[in-house]
Amino acid sequence: MAIPNKLNTEIHAALKLQDVQAKLEAAGIEIRDRTPQEYAALIKAALAKWGRVVIEAGIQPKWVWSLRTGEPRASANFRPSTYAPWSYNDS
């Protein structure tokens, strides 16, 4: 947890700078103060919600990221349950 906490500290320091705030607000970005744990929960909830939509709609990506190599590859034989952290099980 040391790296997420360090990133959180540095990001919060940058977000306190007036020029950074001005640029983000000009772009329509709302600044929120979150802990790494709150942000992780937000991402997990979004992946669960939109992952379900993608799976139920049968949407197939053209490319997927290989968890083994970290490189993109063509998505032939893509199976969400083996690649996507947002895969779900209703049982």
Side-chain angles (χ1 to χ4, degrees):
M1 207 55 180
I3 293 173
N5 288 334
K6 176 67 174 168
L7 282 170
N8 188 54
T9 300
E10 295 299 322
I11 289 168
H12 280 211
L15 291 175
K16 289 180 182 176
L17 300 173
Q18 286 187 347
D19 62 325
V20 172
Q21 290 178 358
K23 288 178 183 177
L24 291 174
E25 289 171 4
I29 299 171
E30 182 180 337
I31 299 171
R32 296 213 175 166
D33 188 17
R34 298 190 199 281
T35 67
Q37 296 79 13
E38 290 169 330
Y39 189 67
L42 175 74
I43 296 299
K44 185 176 181 180
L47 288 173
K49 174 184 177 182
W50 293 110
R52 177 180 220 128
V53 170
V54 167
I55 290 169
E56 289 176 356
I59 298 169
Q60 292 290 313
K62 291 182 181 180
W63 293 91
V64 295
W65 286 98
S66 169
L67 297 177
R68 185 174 52 80
T69 65
E71 298 292 325
R73 64 174 183 77
S75 64
N77 300 319
F78 176 76
R79 294 175 314 217
S81 63
T82 60
Y83 292 96
W86 39 259
S87 295
Y88 68 99
N89 183 345
D90 280 334
S91 58

